[in-house]
Amino acid sequence: MKNTKEAVNALMREHEAFLSRKNEPEEMNNGIYTRYKNPILTRDHTPVIWRYDLNPETNPYLMERIGVNATLNSGAIKWKDQYLLVVRVEGNDRKSFFAIAESPNGIDNFRFRDYPVVIPETNNPDTNVYDMRLTAHEDGWVYGIFCSERKDPDAAPGDLSSAVAAAGIVRTKDLVNWERLPDLKTKSQQRNVVLHPEFVDGKYALYTRPQDGFIDTGSGGGIGWALIDDMTNAEVREEKIIDHRYYHTIKEVKNGEGPHPIKTEKGWLHLAHGVRACAAGLRYVLYLYMTSLEDPTQVIAAPAGHFMAPLGDERVGDVSNVLFTNGWIADPDGKVYIYYASSDTRMHVATSTIEQLTDYCFNTPADGFRSAKSVEAICDLVSKNLAYLKR
């Protein structure tokens, strides 16, 4: 097939029609959030000019020259009235990079900028970078903290899988130019670090996830908390666990903070992921918890179980049975846009409100950690409902 101007124009028209699709809410919802029918970003949303050489002299068959495998795990921020995602884009070559996609309504019509984000390298270059959390901090900077992956220098000869994870840090004032800061210094590996949006006792505060290895948390007990003197030379000297892992729960294998928490009148609202092992492998789900405004390390509400789990087509992809989030946006009117990836393949959105989410946190029973306690909670609810129905 010859790469003619007509063929290029047809390709661009088809892509524009795909990007312009309206996204509709799912008819069924649980009163907590509303899912939407279409993924908001897939590999097919990435720009044609990233993937095709449009010059017929160098690409007479109009072939894809650079393949994109997935769009996932996006940081999120409201920026100049646009809903902006810093998306992890994974190429067919397995390398991930960041790219910005924007939407006027947060639900559909997400468009990537022409160029990916250029992240400066350190003296020890990253092999791979991914999963950026964005925080507009009260110091005036927008910070991005992401996983920086490098080959384990102590790996045995022939071991091409062992890796070391660190928290890479960048900051920006315009979401265009990014300054690379030194990686976070910690005693353990870190793949999941989030910056709190306010100073605490005059210091920067981080949510961490200490782990013994690149994959296994080992002795890491859950979501940690650390105060940092200076983000331009960030070092964790003391770290304490504020949200623990527990046996036979959704977070027995590991858990990690998603985006930075949202400040509400009733406390800090947190969105996190939990991981458990099952016959199909590791299952990732999302959950909520809340901490005190006066002491952000103090958990004041912790509903049992998952808040959101993969459903239907969300369960299938490169890494199946996974939901992951590192981005949400709260509008001034209280509406919350939750951006999540399914099965390491595509991005979705769900919407709720701060009022709904805080109600869910405070009025959903906590985990009793035994089957008998779960039955007790259901029986209590049944008794209340039967009494209500008899009025």
Side-chain angles (χ1 to χ4, degrees), residues 210-212 216-222 241 245:
Q211 52 192 81
D212 294 346
D216 296 327
T217 52
S219 61
I241 302 300
R245 297 190 292 129

Side-chain angles (χ1 to χ4, degrees), residues 43-59:
R43 63 186 180 187
D44 294 327
H45 285 79
T46 56
V48 169
I49 58 176
W50 289 8
R51 295 179 281 129
Y52 290 84
D53 177 356
L54 301 179
N55 186 339
E57 295 182 5
T58 52
N59 191 15

Side-chain angles (χ1 to χ4, degrees), residues 67-79:
V68 173
N69 182 59
T71 52
L72 63 157
N73 301 3
S74 303
I77 192 171
K78 190 73 171 289
W79 191 257

